[in-house]
PDB file of all heavy atoms in Angstrom:
ATOM      1  N   TRP A 812     263.230  29.260  72.221  1.00 81.00           N
ATOM      2  CA  TRP A 812     263.858  28.193  72.924  1.00 81.00           C
ATOM      3  C   TRP A 812     263.420  28.134  74.374  1.00 81.00           C
ATOM      4  O   TRP A 812     263.173  27.067  74.921  1.00 81.00           O
ATOM      5  CB  TRP A 812     265.381  28.259  72.824  1.00 81.00           C
ATOM      6  CG  TRP A 812     265.824  27.960  71.420  1.00 81.00           C
ATOM      7  CD1 TRP A 812     266.341  28.842  70.484  1.00 81.00           C
ATOM      8  CD2 TRP A 812     265.749  26.692  70.764  1.00 81.00           C
ATOM      9  NE1 TRP A 812     266.634  28.142  69.308  1.00 81.00           N
ATOM     10  CE2 TRP A 812     266.282  26.869  69.442  1.00 81.00           C
ATOM     11  CE3 TRP A 812     265.303  25.438  71.132  1.00 81.00           C
ATOM     12  CZ2 TRP A 812     266.340  25.811  68.530  1.00 81.00           C
ATOM     13  CZ3 TRP A 812     265.377  24.391  70.198  1.00 81.00           C
ATOM     14  CH2 TRP A 812     265.878  24.569  68.933  1.00 81.00           C
ATOM     15  N   LYS A 813     263.281  29.273  75.008  1.00 81.00           N
ATOM     16  CA  LYS A 813     262.782  29.291  76.378  1.00 81.00           C
ATOM     17  C   LYS A 813     261.361  28.797  76.478  1.00 81.00           C
ATOM     18  O   LYS A 813     260.964  28.062  77.405  1.00 81.00           O
ATOM     19  CB  LYS A 813     262.883  30.708  76.980  1.00 81.00           C
ATOM     20  CG  LYS A 813     264.262  31.094  77.463  1.00 81.00           C
ATOM     21  CD  LYS A 813     264.263  32.428  78.170  1.00 81.00           C
ATOM     22  CE  LYS A 813     263.641  32.258  79.522  1.00 81.00           C
ATOM     23  NZ  LYS A 813     264.201  32.960  80.596  1.00 81.00           N
ATOM     24  N   GLY A 814     260.537  29.193  75.522  1.00 80.00           N
ATOM     25  CA  GLY A 814     259.200  28.715  75.451  1.00 80.00           C
ATOM     26  C   GLY A 814     259.084  27.217  75.226  1.00 80.00           C
ATOM     27  O   GLY A 814     258.237  26.549  75.840  1.00 80.00           O
ATOM     28  N   ALA A 815     259.952  26.694  74.385  1.00 82.00           N
ATOM     29  CA  ALA A 815     259.999  25.253  74.150  1.00 82.00           C
ATOM     30  C   ALA A 815     260.372  24.513  75.458  1.00 82.00           C
ATOM     31  O   ALA A 815     259.744  23.571  75.870  1.00 82.00           O
ATOM     32  CB  ALA A 815     260.956  24.907  73.069  1.00 82.00           C
ATOM     33  N   LEU A 816     261.419  25.038  76.123  1.00 82.00           N
ATOM     34  CA  LEU A 816     261.858  24.409  77.368  1.00 82.00           C
ATOM     35  C   LEU A 816     260.766  24.469  78.451  1.00 82.00           C
ATOM     36  O   LEU A 816     260.489  23.457  79.095  1.00 82.00           O
ATOM     37  CB  LEU A 816     263.119  25.180  77.865  1.00 82.00           C
ATOM     38  CG  LEU A 816     263.711  24.617  79.156  1.00 82.00           C
ATOM     39  CD1 LEU A 816     264.171  23.153  78.980  1.00 82.00           C
ATOM     40  CD2 LEU A 816     264.904  25.476  79.572  1.00 82.00           C
ATOM     41  N   ARG A 817     260.060  25.582  78.560  1.00 78.00           N
ATOM     42  CA  ARG A 817     258.954  25.687  79.521  1.00 78.00           C
ATOM     43  C   ARG A 817     257.839  24.749  79.144  1.00 78.00           C
ATOM     44  O   ARG A 817     257.314  24.056  80.028  1.00 78.00           O
ATOM     45  CB  ARG A 817     258.392  27.148  79.516  1.00 78.00           C
ATOM     46  CG  ARG A 817     257.246  27.326  80.465  1.00 78.00           C
ATOM     47  CD  ARG A 817     256.740  28.785  80.435  1.00 78.00           C
ATOM     48  NE  ARG A 817     256.299  29.203  79.169  1.00 78.00           N
ATOM     49  CZ  ARG A 817     256.815  30.256  78.486  1.00 78.00           C
ATOM     50  NH1 ARG A 817     257.804  30.939  79.017  1.00 78.00           N
ATOM     51  NH2 ARG A 817     256.356  30.574  77.294  1.00 78.00           N
ATOM     52  N   SER A 818     257.561  24.574  77.854  1.00 77.00           N
ATOM     53  CA  SER A 818     256.503  23.645  77.421  1.00 77.00           C
ATOM     54  C   SER A 818     256.875  22.235  77.753  1.00 77.00           C
ATOM     55  O   SER A 818     256.061  21.417  78.193  1.00 77.00           O
ATOM     56  CB  SER A 818     256.279  23.815  75.963  1.00 77.00           C
ATOM     57  OG  SER A 818     255.808  25.129  75.648  1.00 77.00           O
ATOM     58  N   PHE A 819     258.165  21.827  77.502  1.00 77.00           N
ATOM     59  CA  PHE A 819     258.611  20.489  77.821  1.00 77.00           C
ATOM     60  C   PHE A 819     258.507  20.201  79.330  1.00 77.00           C
ATOM     61  O   PHE A 819     258.029  19.169  79.717  1.00 77.00           O
ATOM     62  CB  PHE A 819     260.055  20.270  77.329  1.00 77.00           C
ATOM     63  CG  PHE A 819     260.217  19.994  75.914  1.00 77.00           C
ATOM     64  CD1 PHE A 819     261.177  20.673  75.160  1.00 77.00           C
ATOM     65  CD2 PHE A 819     259.317  19.093  75.192  1.00 77.00           C
ATOM     66  CE1 PHE A 819     261.322  20.450  73.802  1.00 77.00           C
ATOM     67  CE2 PHE A 819     259.500  18.901  73.862  1.00 77.00           C
ATOM     68  CZ  PHE A 819     260.498  19.566  73.157  1.00 77.00           C
ATOM     69  N   ARG A 820     258.896  21.189  80.125  1.00 76.00           N
ATOM     70  CA  ARG A 820     258.837  20.993  81.580  1.00 76.00           C
ATOM     71  C   ARG A 820     257.388  20.883  82.085  1.00 76.00           C
ATOM     72  O   ARG A 820     257.163  20.028  82.933  1.00 76.00           O
ATOM     73  CB  ARG A 820     259.576  22.159  82.244  1.00 76.00           C
ATOM     74  CG  ARG A 820     261.028  22.065  82.144  1.00 76.00           C
ATOM     75  CD  ARG A 820     261.745  23.188  82.862  1.00 76.00           C
ATOM     76  NE  ARG A 820     263.194  23.037  82.786  1.00 76.00           N
ATOM     77  CZ  ARG A 820     264.034  23.966  82.931  1.00 76.00           C
ATOM     78  NH1 ARG A 820     263.608  25.224  83.144  1.00 76.00           N
ATOM     79  NH2 ARG A 820     265.354  23.796  82.844  1.00 76.00           N
ATOM     80  N   LEU A 821     256.533  21.640  81.541  1.00 70.00           N
ATOM     81  CA  LEU A 821     255.152  21.595  81.984  1.00 70.00           C
ATOM     82  C   LEU A 821     254.425  20.322  81.462  1.00 70.00           C
ATOM     83  O   LEU A 821     253.524  19.827  82.062  1.00 70.00           O
ATOM     84  CB  LEU A 821     254.375  22.805  81.553  1.00 70.00           C
ATOM     85  CG  LEU A 821     254.700  24.100  82.335  1.00 70.00           C
ATOM     86  CD1 LEU A 821     253.967  25.271  81.714  1.00 70.00           C
ATOM     87  CD2 LEU A 821     254.330  23.948  83.785  1.00 70.00           C
ATOM     88  N   ALA A 822     254.916  19.796  80.365  1.00 63.00           N
ATOM     89  CA  ALA A 822     254.331  18.558  79.791  1.00 63.00           C
ATOM     90  C   ALA A 822     254.907  17.296  80.311  1.00 63.00           C
ATOM     91  O   ALA A 822     254.439  16.208  80.004  1.00 63.00           O
ATOM     92  CB  ALA A 822     254.474  18.588  78.245  1.00 63.00           C
ATOM     93  N   GLN A 823     255.915  17.424  81.212  1.00 63.00           N
ATOM     94  CA  GLN A 823     256.515  16.189  81.751  1.00 63.00           C
ATOM     95  C   GLN A 823     255.457  15.424  82.549  1.00 63.00           C
ATOM     96  O   GLN A 823     254.609  15.972  83.214  1.00 63.00           O
ATOM     97  CB  GLN A 823     257.633  16.514  82.680  1.00 63.00           C
ATOM     98  CG  GLN A 823     258.918  16.950  81.936  1.00 63.00           C
ATOM     99  CD  GLN A 823     260.043  17.295  82.869  1.00 63.00           C
ATOM    100  OE1 GLN A 823     259.829  17.597  84.075  1.00 63.00           O
ATOM    101  NE2 GLN A 823     261.236  17.393  82.354  1.00 63.00           N
ATOM    102  N   HIS A 824     255.598  14.095  82.484  1.00 46.00           N
ATOM    103  CA  HIS A 824     254.707  13.221  83.188  1.00 46.00           C
ATOM    104  C   HIS A 824     255.408  12.540  84.332  1.00 46.00           C
ATOM    105  O   HIS A 824     256.540  12.117  84.207  1.00 46.00           O
ATOM    106  CB  HIS A 824     254.194  12.152  82.271  1.00 46.00           C
ATOM    107  CG  HIS A 824     253.230  12.660  81.227  1.00 46.00           C
ATOM    108  ND1 HIS A 824     251.883  12.735  81.403  1.00 46.00           N
ATOM    109  CD2 HIS A 824     253.479  13.201  80.017  1.00 46.00           C
ATOM    110  CE1 HIS A 824     251.314  13.267  80.350  1.00 46.00           C
ATOM    111  NE2 HIS A 824     252.267  13.551  79.453  1.00 46.00           N
ATOM    112  N   ASP A 825     254.753  12.478  85.464  1.00 42.00           N
ATOM    113  CA  ASP A 825     255.178  11.633  86.605  1.00 42.00           C
ATOM    114  C   ASP A 825     254.344  10.385  86.433  1.00 42.00           C
ATOM    115  O   ASP A 825     253.124  10.415  86.655  1.00 42.00           O
ATOM    116  CB  ASP A 825     254.862  12.386  87.886  1.00 42.00           C
ATOM    117  CG  ASP A 825     255.165  11.577  89.101  1.00 42.00           C
ATOM    118  OD1 ASP A 825     255.458  10.294  88.932  1.00 42.00           O
ATOM    119  OD2 ASP A 825     255.208  12.039  90.215  1.00 42.00           O
ATOM    120  N   HIS A 826     254.965   9.307  86.057  1.00 40.00           N
ATOM    121  CA  HIS A 826     254.240   8.076  85.697  1.00 40.00           C
ATOM    122  C   HIS A 826     253.410   7.583  86.839  1.00 40.00           C
ATOM    123  O   HIS A 826     252.411   6.843  86.634  1.00 40.00           O
ATOM    124  CB  HIS A 826     255.161   7.036  85.156  1.00 40.00           C
ATOM    125  CG  HIS A 826     255.829   7.469  83.859  1.00 40.00           C
ATOM    126  ND1 HIS A 826     255.105   7.693  82.727  1.00 40.00           N
ATOM    127  CD2 HIS A 826     257.112   7.800  83.570  1.00 40.00           C
ATOM    128  CE1 HIS A 826     255.924   8.085  81.752  1.00 40.00           C
ATOM    129  NE2 HIS A 826     257.173   8.176  82.275  1.00 40.00           N
ATOM    130  N   SER A 827     253.760   7.866  88.084  1.00 44.00           N
ATOM    131  CA  SER A 827     252.954   7.350  89.196  1.00 44.00           C
ATOM    132  C   SER A 827     251.776   8.203  89.533  1.00 44.00           C
ATOM    133  O   SER A 827     250.808   7.757  90.107  1.00 44.00           O
ATOM    134  CB  SER A 827     253.857   7.268  90.459  1.00 44.00           C
ATOM    135  OG  SER A 827     254.315   8.542  90.828  1.00 44.00           O
ATOM    136  N   HIS A 828     251.800   9.461  89.124  1.00 46.00           N
ATOM    137  CA  HIS A 828     250.665  10.377  89.420  1.00 46.00           C
ATOM    138  C   HIS A 828     249.993  10.941  88.151  1.00 46.00           C
ATOM    139  O   HIS A 828     249.133  11.791  88.281  1.00 46.00           O
ATOM    140  CB  HIS A 828     251.150  11.523  90.319  1.00 46.00           C
ATOM    141  CG  HIS A 828     251.632  11.082  91.611  1.00 46.00           C
ATOM    142  ND1 HIS A 828     252.951  10.925  91.879  1.00 46.00           N
ATOM    143  CD2 HIS A 828     251.007  10.752  92.720  1.00 46.00           C
ATOM    144  CE1 HIS A 828     253.141  10.520  93.113  1.00 46.00           C
ATOM    145  NE2 HIS A 828     251.960  10.365  93.676  1.00 46.00           N
ATOM    146  N   GLY A 829     250.397  10.551  86.988  1.00 44.00           N
ATOM    147  CA  GLY A 829     249.776  11.125  85.770  1.00 44.00           C
ATOM    148  C   GLY A 829     250.414  12.442  85.429  1.00 44.00           C
ATOM    149  O   GLY A 829     251.500  12.793  85.898  1.00 44.00           O
ATOM    150  N   PRO A 830     249.782  13.191  84.567  1.00 45.00           N
ATOM    151  CA  PRO A 830     250.353  14.448  84.045  1.00 45.00           C
ATOM    152  C   PRO A 830     250.640  15.436  85.220  1.00 45.00           C
ATOM    153  O   PRO A 830     249.924  15.441  86.223  1.00 45.00           O
ATOM    154  CB  PRO A 830     249.329  15.032  83.116  1.00 45.00           C
ATOM    155  CG  PRO A 830     248.450  13.859  82.755  1.00 45.00           C
ATOM    156  CD  PRO A 830     248.528  12.926  83.911  1.00 45.00           C
ATOM    157  N   THR A 831     251.640  16.226  85.041  1.00 45.00           N
ATOM    158  CA  THR A 831     252.000  17.273  86.032  1.00 45.00           C
ATOM    159  C   THR A 831     250.819  18.199  86.193  1.00 45.00           C
ATOM    160  O   THR A 831     250.272  18.711  85.236  1.00 45.00           O
ATOM    161  CB  THR A 831     253.235  18.025  85.591  1.00 45.00           C
ATOM    162  OG1 THR A 831     254.274  17.114  85.462  1.00 45.00           O
ATOM    163  CG2 THR A 831     253.619  19.126  86.596  1.00 45.00           C
ATOM    164  N   THR A 832     250.422  18.453  87.436  1.00 45.00           N
ATOM    165  CA  THR A 832     249.316  19.453  87.703  1.00 45.00           C
ATOM    166  C   THR A 832     249.769  20.619  88.506  1.00 45.00           C
ATOM    167  O   THR A 832     249.024  21.441  88.878  1.00 45.00           O
ATOM    168  CB  THR A 832     248.200  18.759  88.480  1.00 45.00           C
ATOM    169  OG1 THR A 832     248.717  18.141  89.636  1.00 45.00           O
ATOM    170  CG2 THR A 832     247.548  17.669  87.640  1.00 45.00           C
ATOM    171  N   ASN A 833     251.096  20.688  88.810  1.00 46.00           N
ATOM    172  CA  ASN A 833     251.658  21.760  89.593  1.00 46.00           C
ATOM    173  C   ASN A 833     251.920  22.999  88.686  1.00 46.00           C
ATOM    174  O   ASN A 833     253.052  23.290  88.395  1.00 46.00           O
ATOM    175  CB  ASN A 833     252.932  21.311  90.322  1.00 46.00           C
ATOM    176  CG  ASN A 833     253.451  22.389  91.178  1.00 46.00           C
ATOM    177  OD1 ASN A 833     252.803  23.339  91.524  1.00 46.00           O
ATOM    178  ND2 ASN A 833     254.765  22.249  91.538  1.00 46.00           N
TER     179      ASN A 833
END
Side-chain angles (χ1 to χ4, degrees):
W812 289 110
K813 281 187 72 140
L816 182 61
R817 180 179 58 240
S818 298
F819 282 134
R820 286 183 176 155
L821 288 174
Q823 284 178 345
H824 290 268
D825 175 350
H826 297 294
S827 62
H828 297 99
T831 301
T832 56
N833 183 18

